[in-house]
Amino acid sequence: MGPSDTPIEPDGPEERPEERVTERFASVDPADRAVPETAPPDTALPDTALPDIQDGSRVTGPPGPAQRSRKARYVRRAAFGVLAAFGLCMLLFTIAYLLTPIPSAKSASIASGSVFYYSDGRTPIARQGPNRTIVDLDRVPKPVREAVLAAENRSFYRDPGVSVQGTARAMWSTVSGGQVQGGSTITQQMVRNYYSGLSQERTVFRKLKEIMISMKVGNEKSKDWILEQYLNTIYFGRDAYGIEAAARAYFGLPVEKLTAAQGAYLAAAIQQPTSFGTAAAADRPAAEARWRYVLGGMVQMGSLSSSDAAGVKFPTLIKQKLTNSLKGQIGYMKNIAVKELEERGYSEDEINRGGFKIRTTFDKGLMAAAEATVKADMPPGTSKKILTGLVTVDPATGAVKAFYGGENYLDTQLSTSFGSYVQAGSGFKPYVLAAALDQGLGLDYTVNGSSPQTFGTAQIHNDSDSSYGEVNLIEATQRSINTAYVNLGQKVGLDRITAMAENMGIPENQLTANGANTVPSFPLGTVSLSPAQQAGGFATFAAEGVHHRTHVIYSVTDAGGKEHKVKDESNRTFGKDVARDATYAMTRVVESGTGTRAQLDDGRPVAGKTGTTDQARALWFNGFVPQLATSVAVFNSDPNKPVTIPGYTSYGGSLPAQIWHDYMTVATQNMPIKDFGDPSFFDGGGGSVPVPVPTTTRPHPATTAPAATPVVPTHTSRPPPTTSPGPGPDPGTTAPKPTQSPPGVKNPPPPGRNEVRPTGRVQEVP
């Protein structure tokens, strides 16, 4: 070692670099530390010119070798972990693939249909099963095959049989609790329909099994074989399984004679077989849009030229052929049950082949009574365009016990009770009353019932222009006073009335259609409702403020014998006091108001509300006893014509109330008599309402009569009939109970001078 290599020993302890830096900066003002002494003025320094100072004492520079080494180790470990996890997944996937066998094919005899039962769970209503004819692929015209590919799987001949994106979406839906979704490729759909042990399982395991089988089938079977099985097993609607059955069900043709337009329609129907099968006018726009989508896919695939696609006309469907097993009310019961099952997540295909035992809420005896009553009470000579709907709901559960859907399902498939919507008329007023009472108004609250009155640009009249002056809510309901209820609506607020009706089961889109809930006449029932909706709404009063979702399915028992009961969906809409007060006001309608025909012969308490719409196009009676709520609607199938019935006036208190009375007499014959709960307000001993005799004069809207003075009540939950003025032949006399009429005349009702006609007498003021 030379002189130059002689090590220099330090004079003292080794000085660490950070200590030297700290000493250097110790005498420098903190404000000056940003620029070293060696830096000339205005000279910009790079970011690395200064050490990083932490806590004013410790400076750290770039990462040293040890820090870089530690970070690299973490990266390597993470990479190894990811690779190991991926390798493990691949290993498990391979094992699962090898161990998953292709199941045996289903046969038409194995695919078991489902059976619908009455509420006793033993008496069958109808059976729903597959209708299928197997055909070879070469019998299916090429344009029809390509239409199916354009609709369902345009990459069918190129893909491995599984859609990663579609499967991931379905898996997430299953894990997150959403509805289980099917595979998106034709191979996956064929696997679910063709092989045993898949279509009835609704789990993630089933989805994984489906993937394995689809991949195996895609590797072991030809694409043409897969397409042939698919076309013979897929559901097209109209109870048709397979392309041959569908061709005959929709067009009355064998599959060989289908055109490209017809094939495109059948391909479009695969996605929504129920709506495409009905061919209803309401479904036409959606059906045509989907049909155009299929044609566009055929153009994209090169199967059809753009000019040919533009010239194709929407095909005409034949009328659906129905079997006699669906005659009378049976078809209505089955279809309504199927619709609810679909709303609860079951596909029509599953219902057809699942082997389910479906127990409905329909009482066989009450169903027969509803049909017999309607047919017996409709006078001879009544036009076939006059239709009737009737629905009975159990207030304690929301279960539909019975309904009348029409004269014969084989003639008309649209149910008059669930599928027909007509204006509610004064049958909507109880929703307004409930909203008012819920806001703290009492039955003794008074409103102006004079006629006519002007609200904005509309002039509102009472029936026959009867004027009542100031009336309380009992009289306003009993006499169905239009102007009083419009004033009440202005007091309560139309938005609150809308919310109340929605909470009682009326969908918001019906309440807000065409801005109906924004005009003063909204309380007069300008919205269109079905008898099923009205029965469910009035059942809320009978249940003392608790609304139960109206339903027709009690339980579904799967092929394995496990019963799945429908859960009660309920909410307290308003308090008991509100329900009892509103109910009390409606008992007055039946005892001495517009609905006296509904009084039951055994004296049990009845509450209800009549309804008559503009120009008598629809007539209603909605009523209830504590154990049952029933709504009856009589309406004209031509919405522009009034209801005319031989021997009856055109009011809700006439034929609808008579039908209600006759049916409920049978429905309650073995039912104990129960009283309604005591109201919080009584309008006088015995229930009479001191009211002035209505006039037919037209006072100025601002003119009001003296307010009615409430009388101290006597506590009785069921006030006896009174002699207060009612809608009888003479307003000053008691309305007589209907008596048997001469042959050919169905108990002519009182004139009903106070019944509402909500929009026929609404006049616009210039």
Side-chain angles (χ1 to χ4, degrees):
M1 182 180 294
S4 61
D5 296 325
T6 302
I8 300 176
E9 298 291 338
D11 295 332
E14 181 180 358
E15 184 180 31
R16 292 181 297 176
E18 57 266 34
E19 291 176 347
R20 291 196 300 273
V21 173
T22 302
E23 181 179 355
R24 175 184 174 190
F25 280 84
S27 59
V28 181
D29 188 282
D32 299 328
R33 291 182 183 177
V35 182
E37 293 176 357
T38 57
D42 302 324
T43 301
L45 296 178
D47 293 339
T48 56
L50 291 177
D52 186 18
I53 303 174
Q54 298 180 357
D55 299 330
S57 58
R58 184 176 178 81
V59 178
T60 58
Q67 290 175 301
R68 288 195 298 270
S69 176
R70 190 159 50 248
K71 184 176 181 181
R73 283 199 302 273
Y74 291 152
V75 172
R76 285 197 299 272
R77 289 174 183 173
F80 288 147
V82 172
L83 290 175
F86 179 77
L88 179 61
C89 290
M90 290 299 297
L91 177 62
L92 293 175
F93 182 85
T94 302
I95 294 173
Y97 179 84
L98 295 174
L99 294 180
T100 302
I102 296 179
S104 59
K106 297 175 183 175
S107 65
S109 61
I110 295 176
S112 177
S114 297
V115 181
F116 296 83
Y117 293 86
Y118 284 102
S119 58
D120 61 8
R122 299 184 302 274
T123 308
I125 298 173
R127 183 183 183 89
Q128 183 160 320
N131 163 34
R132 183 188 353 261
T133 301
I134 305 298
V135 295
D136 295 332
L137 185 63
D138 57 11
R139 287 185 56 190
V140 182
K142 185 177 180 182
V144 176
R145 282 181 269 164
E146 291 175 337
V148 172
L149 298 183
E152 294 296 310
N153 190 183
R154 297 177 187 178
S155 63
F156 171 70
Y157 280 99
R158 302 189 305 273
D159 64 41
V162 175
S163 167
V164 176
Q165 181 180 1
T167 301
R169 182 175 61 250
M171 292 280 286
W172 170 251
S173 176
T174 303
V175 171
S176 62
Q179 181 178 332
V180 177
Q181 299 180 10
S184 59
T185 69
I186 281 179
T187 303
Q188 287 177 272
Q189 294 180 60
M190 186 279 294
V191 162
R192 294 180 62 231
N193 294 326
Y194 186 76
Y195 291 109
S196 301
L198 284 175
S199 63
Q200 306 313 316
E201 300 177 30
R202 302 171 67 83
T203 63
V204 173
F205 175 75
R206 191 227 69 185
K207 203 67 192 174
L208 293 172
K209 188 176 180 181
E210 175 191 303
I211 294 171
M212 300 302 171
I213 296 174
S214 298
M215 294 184 67
K216 276 198 167 184
V217 169
N219 288 331
E220 298 179 15
K221 302 288 186 180
S222 71
K223 289 288 187 178
D224 283 350
W225 183 89
I226 293 171
L227 183 59
E228 180 179 302
Q229 310 316 312
Y230 176 79
L231 290 175
N232 280 315
T233 56
I234 199 67
Y235 182 59
F236 287 90
R238 292 197 173 191
D239 295 328
Y241 282 84
I243 192 70
E244 171 69 13
R248 295 185 181 276
Y250 282 90
F251 303 108
L253 300 171
V255 66
E256 296 94 332
K257 295 186 177 181
L258 289 179
T259 65
Q262 293 168 334
Y265 187 91
L266 294 181
I270 294 173
Q271 186 186 70
Q272 295 180 312
T274 301
S275 59
F276 274 70
T278 60
D283 297 321
R284 172 68 183 261
E288 189 164 351
R290 178 69 178 169
W291 177 74
R292 287 290 178 190
Y293 167 82
V294 174
L295 292 177
M298 295 176 71
V299 172
Q300 186 183 47
M301 294 168 58
S303 307
L304 193 68
S305 68
S306 299
S307 58
D308 288 342
V312 173
K313 294 183 179 181
F314 192 75
T316 301
L317 311 183
I318 65 172
K319 185 177 180 179
Q320 185 174 2
K321 295 179 180 179
L322 303 170
T323 64
N324 286 334
S325 62
L326 299 179
K327 65 182 179 181
Q329 304 300 302
I330 293 175
Y332 297 121
M333 286 189 279
K334 185 178 79 71
N335 274 11
I336 292 165
V338 167
K339 182 178 180 181
E340 182 170 316
L341 287 170
E342 290 177 341
E343 291 173 354
R344 295 183 182 277
Y346 294 89
S347 69
E348 190 172 2
D349 181 37
E350 286 179 297
I351 299 167
N352 287 341
R353 302 193 300 162
F356 297 136
K357 176 183 176 181
I358 301 161
R359 183 177 174 183
T360 69
T361 62
F362 304 134
D363 182 285
K364 185 178 181 181
L366 293 182
M367 285 293 301
E371 182 177 18
T373 301
V374 171
K375 290 184 176 181
D377 283 5
M378 194 62 66
T382 303
S383 169
K384 292 294 184 182
K385 292 187 176 182
I386 304 303
L387 307 178
T388 302
L390 180 155
V391 179
T392 295
V393 170
D394 180 355
T397 63
V400 175
K401 305 299 291 183
F403 71 95
Y404 176 78
E407 188 170 349
N408 190 348
Y409 178 78
L410 298 181
D411 297 329
T412 305
Q413 288 74 59
L414 182 66
S415 166
T416 55
S417 290
F418 287 83
S420 298
Y421 299 83
V422 293
Q423 281 191 337
S426 287
F428 190 77
K429 288 176 180 175
Y431 299 96
V432 183
L433 179 61
L437 297 173
D438 193 51
Q439 290 299 312
L441 301 181
L443 289 177
D444 57 345
Y445 182 79
T446 59
V447 284
N448 185 357
S450 59
S451 177
Q453 294 186 43
T454 301
F455 299 86
T457 60
Q459 194 174 69
I460 306 296
H461 297 258
N462 294 329
D463 187 51
S464 301
D465 259 336
S466 299
S467 266
Y468 299 89
E470 289 289 319
V471 294
N472 60 31
L473 300 188
I474 297 172
E475 185 188 355
T477 305
Q478 175 188 356
R479 297 185 179 281
S480 197
I481 303 173
N482 291 348
T483 54
Y485 260 92
V486 173
N487 277 309
L488 185 61
Q490 295 297 300
K491 171 66 177 179
V492 174
L494 302 184
D495 55 339
R496 288 174 175 166
I497 297 171
T498 302
M500 176 60 72
E502 186 178 357
N503 288 335
M504 295 174 69
I506 310 302
E508 181 185 15
N509 65 316
Q510 289 177 228
L511 295 166
T512 59
N514 301 316
N517 68 327
T518 63
V519 296
S521 59
F522 179 55
L524 304 184
T526 56
V527 297
S528 294
L529 306 177
S530 71
Q533 291 173 334
Q534 280 290 66
F538 275 73
T540 309
F541 294 110
E544 297 201 316
V546 177
H547 176 73
H548 298 265
R549 176 187 171 184
T550 303
H551 61 279
V552 303
I553 301 296
Y554 176 80
S555 68
V556 177
T557 301
D558 59 30
K562 184 177 181 180
E563 184 179 26
H564 306 270
K565 291 185 179 180
V566 169
K567 294 181 180 179
D568 179 28
E569 301 176 42
S570 61
N571 63 282
R572 174 159 287 285
T573 304
F574 42 79
K576 286 186 178 181
D577 286 346
V578 170
R580 292 178 177 182
D581 285 358
T583 297
Y584 178 69
M586 284 186 277
T587 62
R588 299 304 310 283
V589 173
V590 177
E591 290 167 356
S592 56
T594 59
T596 55
R597 279 184 177 272
Q599 295 174 16
L600 294 177
D601 299 335
D602 60 5
R604 73 177 65 232
V606 174
K609 188 67 191 75
T610 54
T612 307
T613 68
D614 180 32
Q615 298 183 18
R617 294 187 180 106
L619 316 177
W620 292 82
F621 185 78
N622 312 286
F624 56 95
V625 297
Q627 302 99 318
L628 289 177
T630 297
S631 285
V632 177
V634 179
F635 54 95
N636 198 316
S637 60
D638 185 340
N640 296 316
K641 293 184 178 180
V643 174
T644 55
I645 307 164
Y648 285 92
T649 57
S650 298
Y651 286 96
S654 57
L655 180 61
Q658 186 68 50
I659 293 173
W660 191 97
H661 165 273
D662 294 346
Y663 163 74
M664 288 294 284
T665 297
V666 177
T668 61
Q669 62 184 354
N670 295 318
M671 188 177 290
I673 296 178
K674 291 181 64 176
D675 286 337
F676 294 118
D678 290 339
S680 61
F681 172 83
F682 297 79
D683 61 329
S688 63
V689 181
V691 294
V693 176
T695 68
T696 56
T697 59
R698 296 191 175 204
H700 189 276
T703 302
T704 60
T709 304
V711 181
V712 178
T714 59
H715 285 265
T716 172
S717 60
R718 183 157 56 99
T722 71
T723 58
S724 60
D730 184 342
T733 63
T734 304
K737 190 176 183 61
T739 58
Q740 186 63 37
S741 302
V745 179
K746 279 285 189 176
N747 296 334
R753 60 181 289 119
N754 304 316
E755 181 59 271
V756 61
R757 298 182 186 274
T759 57
R761 294 282 291 168
V762 177
Q763 301 175 350
E764 294 296 320
V765 177

